[in-house]
Amino acid sequence: MLLVLAFFAVYILWGTTYVAIVIGLETLPPFILATFRFLVAGFTVLIIARVKSESISTRNKIKNLWLGIIIMTGGQGFLFWAEQYIPSGYAAIIVSTLPLWYVILDRRNWNVYFKNKLILTGLVSGFAGILLLFEKYIRPSNGTTMLQLFGMLAVFAGCICWAVGTLLYKNRVDQKAIFSNIGWQLIGGMLSSLIIAFSTGELKNFAFSDVSLRSWLATLYLALVGSVIAFVAFNWLLSIKPAAIVGTYAYVNPVIALILGWLIADEIISPSQVAGMIVILFSAFLVNSPRYREIYKKRFSKMDRKQR
């Protein structure tokens, strides 16, 4: 049952956070929104860590603070800023390119990845899908703005930050104290988001009285559901399941975000963008399919041995 709930969190609940960001941005600047989200989530997770008798002053603390800058502020802060200018469902489609970035950036396994025809086909078709997403921005006189283009590029930059941070976390951080690690990453994200909010003038023009209850509730939802429940579930699943299986959330989140963006935020996505989404999702599946095959091969071989 716990396994089902964890997958529900990363499949469905994480998909709902894209539209929650849009609601939060109605009266909150992006990096102030990120600051409050990470503040609430960070201290909540550190309290859970203490309750579970995890040390919150481990030698990994500094590493996790730096990872928080990369994963939280880079991976999420850029997304917050971008959703001021592009639809939430569109942002989720771009985030679905994450499996491609994992392959490109995981240099340790290049010898494996680039010898596999399915992975290479997935990479090529994935970038074809990205071109489809950009199609309406490439055409002249299309009525779009540079800020929309920068928003798209910011989400791609966020994907790269998330992939880099995740690989660093997997390879260089002791993953036994899961709640302590996540808590300090969230605090690192909070501190760096606060610095950006200060340096860009968001804090100077900010007043609590200008923030609507709707935006505060969206921020609380992002903190508790997106960062505490779903992110902890994601890390827990990584500790017990292959990353290729856990990573399938990247196929489901965009669908949830598109539906909610259409229902709640009146967002419209063009046919070429829908085509781009389909190509990207198929490409992400191709990139991961050799890993699925290996997982099932091992599973069935174990079953055969047991039957014998």
Side-chain angles (χ1 to χ4, degrees), residues 6-308:
F7 271 109
F8 176 81
V10 296
Y11 273 27
I12 309 300
L13 297 184
W14 242 354
T16 66
T17 58
Y18 291 92
V19 75
I21 292 170
V22 172
I23 296 170
L25 289 171
E26 289 174 353
T27 55
L28 275 168
F31 287 100
I32 291 180
L33 171 58
T35 298
F36 282 121
R37 174 186 182 174
F38 299 145
L39 173 69
V40 173
F43 282 104
T44 301
V45 175
L46 287 177
I47 290 170
I48 294 172
R50 289 301 296 151
V51 170
K52 294 182 71 66
S53 300
E54 289 185 4
S55 172
I56 61 172
S57 57
T58 64
R59 61 180 181 175
N60 283 324
K61 179 171 70 175
I62 300 301
K63 285 184 181 178
N64 280 302
L65 285 171
W66 280 107
L67 282 175
I69 296 173
I70 299 171
I71 296 174
M72 301 302 169
T73 302
Q76 292 287 297
F78 284 157
L79 176 65
F80 283 24
W81 181 85
E83 285 201 37
Q84 297 176 107
Y85 309 109
I86 63 174
S88 61
Y90 198 15
I93 294 170
I94 297 174
V95 173
S96 71
T97 63
L98 261 174
L100 311 182
W101 296 114
Y102 280 126
V103 169
I104 293 169
L105 295 168
D106 189 6
R107 190 172 180 177
R108 291 185 177 190
N109 293 301
W110 277 1
N111 288 335
V112 177
Y113 295 150
F114 293 115
K115 287 180 180 177
N116 190 289
K117 291 180 180 178
L118 281 176
I119 291 177
L120 287 174
T121 303
L123 287 174
V124 172
S125 60
F127 284 102
I130 290 170
L131 288 177
L132 279 171
L133 288 183
F134 274 99
E135 185 263 340
K136 78 168 190 173
Y137 296 92
I138 296 170
R139 285 184 285 115
S141 304
N142 55 40
T144 58
T145 68
M146 287 300 293
L147 282 173
Q148 288 175 308
L149 180 59
F150 286 142
M152 295 172 63
L153 294 174
V155 180
F156 277 114
C159 288
I160 293 170
C161 287
W162 186 277
V164 168
T166 302
L167 290 170
L168 287 172
Y169 175 71
K170 183 178 180 180
N171 296 324
R172 300 189 182 184
V173 176
D174 180 6
Q175 297 177 42
K176 293 178 182 177
I178 185 171
F179 289 98
S180 178
N181 288 341
I182 294 171
W184 285 117
Q185 286 175 31
L186 288 162
I187 296 300
M190 181 269 291
L191 292 173
S192 51
S193 294
L194 183 62
I195 291 169
I196 294 172
F198 177 78
S199 61
T200 57
E202 286 185 6
L203 277 177
K204 183 179 179 181
N205 302 314
F206 175 72
F208 281 95
S209 58
D210 293 335
V211 183
S212 68
L213 176 62
R214 180 177 158 96
S215 288
W216 283 127
L217 290 175
T219 304
L220 190 63
Y221 181 86
L222 287 167
L224 299 181
V225 176
S227 292
V228 177
I229 297 175
F231 193 54
V232 169
F234 171 71
N235 281 273
W236 178 72
L237 285 170
L238 282 178
S239 70
I240 63 167
K241 290 289 180 182
I245 297 297
V246 181
T248 53
Y249 78 88
Y251 313 146
V252 181
N253 283 180
V255 178
I256 303 299
L258 281 169
I259 293 171
L260 290 179
W262 174 64
L263 287 173
I264 297 174
D266 297 322
E267 294 177 350
I268 299 173
I269 293 180
S270 71
S272 67
Q273 291 164 349
V274 173
M277 178 188 73
I278 293 169
V279 171
I280 286 171
L281 294 180
F282 179 68
S283 303
F285 176 78
L286 284 179
V287 165
N288 275 331
S289 60
R291 285 177 256 181
Y292 301 146
R293 188 164 54 191
E294 187 64 27
I295 290 162
Y296 292 128
K297 189 186 295 183
K298 289 179 181 178
R299 183 174 295 174
F300 285 125
S301 65
K302 287 181 181 178
M303 289 174 62
D304 286 340
R305 284 196 296 270
K306 286 180 180 178
Q307 288 174 356
R308 290 173 188 173

